[in-house]
Amino acid sequence: MANEQNLQFRTLINCAQLADALAANDSGASNVRVVDCRFDLGDIEVGRRAYAHNHIPGAAYAHLDDDMSGPIVPGRTGRHPLPDAPVFAATLARLGISNHTQVALYDDSGGSMAARMWWMLRWIGHQAVAVLDGGWIAWTAAGLPTSSGVETPPAGSFTASPRPELVVDATEMLAKTASGGALVIDARGADRFRGENETHDLIGGHIPGASNLPHTGNLREGHFRDPAELAARFSELMGNRPPSEVIFYCGSGVSACHNALALEHAGLGEARLYPGSWSDWITDPSRPTAQG
């Protein structure tokens, strides 16, 4: 198939590449689906409104709470738990994605929301998925076409092949931190890692033994740093550890995916994710916490 031969973007895609792919879509030479992932934790509908106002032509919209998260169970889950795999597969089909679709994702927040969707597609067994480098800001700055209104793509057909080896739960996280059996990396800003200026969760701090590597450091002027720079950034912490012994987390399993994307773009392989992250960790008061 043309898309399998020519459109296997697996980490990042730039604006020119996406524009070419969309032009090839029109001629039937490719099969690419664009998904707008814009979202703001402070106003959970601002992304949907922005999409309806203006978006990349042909894009569908995916909402962090509605499409990229499962139901919250107070006191038992974090703020953005993973949905069940069959439910997420149905969401992908509704967004027009099939198993052989090249997917391109974008947001307006440096890739933090799009990276969550990227990781979820990898978790459910889809490889041909990439985040638009520079996102919506780069696309509009380049003067590329936009559309308005809500688009409903033709339904896809997606069969899930979940990869549980990419996921860490709280029980395994506790064992790994206690034994030193993994490198645990917190993707939040340094102040939240220290337990300062916490605005999203009732308790501030971090998982004991974790290192802090804010996801914003993966970017320079809104674009991902080049692979060599990213490799140096992660290798300083990883040493000789394989990526399978690296676990990323953040507040609720969103910005941690940005680090996972950057690590893979650097050529260092696939790390693991604690999707529940800090907001899940603190639901059990017996789990240790650290500040400072």
Side-chain angles (χ1 to χ4, degrees):
M1 294 178 63
N3 64 302
E4 291 180 301
Q5 295 171 357
N6 303 320
L7 289 175
Q8 279 288 315
F9 295 98
R10 297 189 177 207
T11 55
L12 300 179
I13 185 170
N14 65 37
C15 289
Q17 290 167 330
L18 181 55
D20 288 346
L22 291 175
N25 252 14
D26 295 337
S27 66
S30 70
N31 176 17
V32 61
R33 170 63 55 206
V34 181
V35 181
D36 185 320
C37 302
R38 285 177 283 179
F39 187 86
D40 188 330
L41 291 171
D43 179 351
I44 64 172
E45 293 304 319
V46 70
R48 205 188 313 263
R49 293 194 300 268
Y51 163 80
H53 176 69
N54 220 6
H55 57 260
I56 294 176
Y61 179 73
H63 189 277
L64 176 62
D65 290 349
D66 297 345
D67 301 315
M68 296 184 236
S69 303
I72 296 173
V73 180
R76 290 183 55 196
T77 69
R79 288 182 279 110
H80 295 108
L82 286 182
D84 291 337
V87 173
F88 185 54
T91 296
L92 295 178
R94 177 177 54 79
L95 294 173
I97 297 169
S98 298
N99 290 88
H100 296 294
T101 304
Q102 171 69 56
V103 183
L105 311 164
Y106 73 92
D107 59 32
D108 58 359
S109 52
S112 59
M113 300 299 164
R116 161 77 174 213
M117 188 70 160
W118 171 88
W119 183 87
M120 291 179 66
L121 276 151
R122 301 301 291 271
W123 159 68
I124 207 167
H126 195 68
Q127 294 292 316
V129 53
V131 170
L132 178 63
D133 192 20
W136 175 248
I137 296 168
W139 184 268
T140 54
L144 291 163
T146 62
S147 296
S148 60
V150 176
E151 301 194 43
T152 304
S157 176
F158 196 93
T159 301
S161 299
R163 302 179 61 201
E165 72 275 10
L166 296 182
V167 178
V168 178
D169 63 12
T171 300
E172 184 178 2
M173 188 66 125
L174 184 61
K176 293 291 189 185
T177 52
S179 68
L183 172 65
V184 177
I185 298 178
D186 187 320
R188 296 174 298 168
D191 57 343
R192 291 185 65 203
F193 178 81
R194 293 191 299 264
E196 305 163 3
N197 304 318
E198 181 56 65
T199 57
H200 300 297
D201 295 305
L202 295 176
I203 299 171
H206 59 269
I207 296 173
S211 300
N212 185 215
L213 199 68
H215 76 280
T216 51
N218 298 322
L219 304 175
R220 182 173 55 237
E221 297 180 354
H223 292 265
F224 277 79
R225 297 179 181 273
D226 66 51
E229 286 182 281
L230 292 172
R233 184 169 195 254
F234 288 103
S235 295
E236 186 174 354
L237 282 177
M238 289 172 63
N240 294 322
R241 282 189 185 272
S244 61
E245 292 184 5
V246 177
I247 302 171
F248 291 123
Y249 83 96
C250 55
S252 64
V254 178
S255 60
C257 298
H258 200 278
N259 273 351
L261 171 60
L263 186 81
E264 190 159 345
H265 187 61
L268 298 179
E270 289 183 300
R272 306 177 73 196
L273 178 74
Y274 174 26
S277 285
W278 180 250
S279 60
D280 173 72
W281 184 263
I282 60 174
T283 60
D284 184 343
S286 71
R287 295 177 191 141
T289 62
Q291 286 78 34

